[in-house]
Amino acid sequence: MREINLIVIHCSATRCDRDFPVEALEACHRARGFNGIGYHYYITRDGMLHLTRSEAIQGAHAKGYNNHSIGVCYEGGLDTRGKPADTRTPAQKRTLLALLRSLRADYPDAEILGHRDIPNVKKDCPCFNAQWEYKGV
């Protein structure tokens, strides 16, 4: 079993008014040369949680940190103009919180942070302050 000390939250960096289902995410990642979706979990706007990669398998979501992290992504992250924004729906927020609580039960020492909180990352992803919002989880 992998030693997990990070839970990294991402957004799909897609517009909140356009669907980006799990199949589209997979096609996008395969086009980038990945062997499937790089995140372990994907949460669509309706709040549906998709297991997209076994936790036992290293992800492809946070360069330099993949071997000891779990990647969680929510659909969205861009407003209708394509600008970074917290576009999580209430259903996504509920699902994300439940998932993070479950992951913390399995990995109690893991730190929860946003992709943007990793050193040398120059992105707004996940477009909200995940480290602050989930510090008590």
Side-chain angles (χ1 to χ4, degrees):
M1 183 166 202
R2 297 186 313 125
E3 182 178 331
I4 303 299
N5 62 17
L6 284 177
I7 300 167
V8 184
I9 302 173
H10 301 263
C11 65
S12 63
T14 54
R15 291 179 185 223
C16 63
D17 59 346
R18 299 181 187 169
D19 287 338
F20 197 68
V22 70
E23 297 82 7
L25 178 64
E26 182 168 8
C28 178
H29 279 214
R30 287 191 183 278
R32 293 175 58 196
F34 295 169
N35 184 18
I37 296 172
Y39 310 113
H40 296 90
Y41 296 95
Y42 186 56
I43 304 169
T44 48
R45 287 196 314 238
D46 60 3
M48 178 74 73
L49 177 64
H50 301 268
L51 173 63
T52 50
R53 183 181 287 244
S54 167
E55 291 179 19
I57 299 172
Q58 178 177 308
H61 61 92
K63 188 175 181 179
Y65 295 85
N66 289 316
N67 64 336
H68 56 89
S69 66
I70 298 292
V72 178
C73 180
Y74 76 92
E75 178 184 9
L78 300 179
D79 65 18
T80 57
R81 296 169 294 135
K83 301 292 183 190
D86 182 359
T87 63
R88 292 173 297 157
T89 65
Q92 283 177 310
K93 288 180 179 183
R94 286 190 300 273
T95 300
L96 181 55
L97 181 58
L99 174 60
L100 293 175
R101 285 179 173 153
S102 175
L103 290 172
R104 286 292 298 215
D106 292 339
Y107 310 106
D109 296 325
E111 179 182 6
I112 299 170
L113 47 76
H115 189 200
R116 70 184 192 180
D117 300 317
I118 293 175
N120 301 315
V121 170
K122 308 284 190 250
K123 299 178 178 188
D124 291 319
C125 176
C127 301
F128 71 96
N129 190 336
Q131 217 170 12
W132 178 83
E133 187 167 330
Y134 297 113
K135 67 182 175 187
V137 172

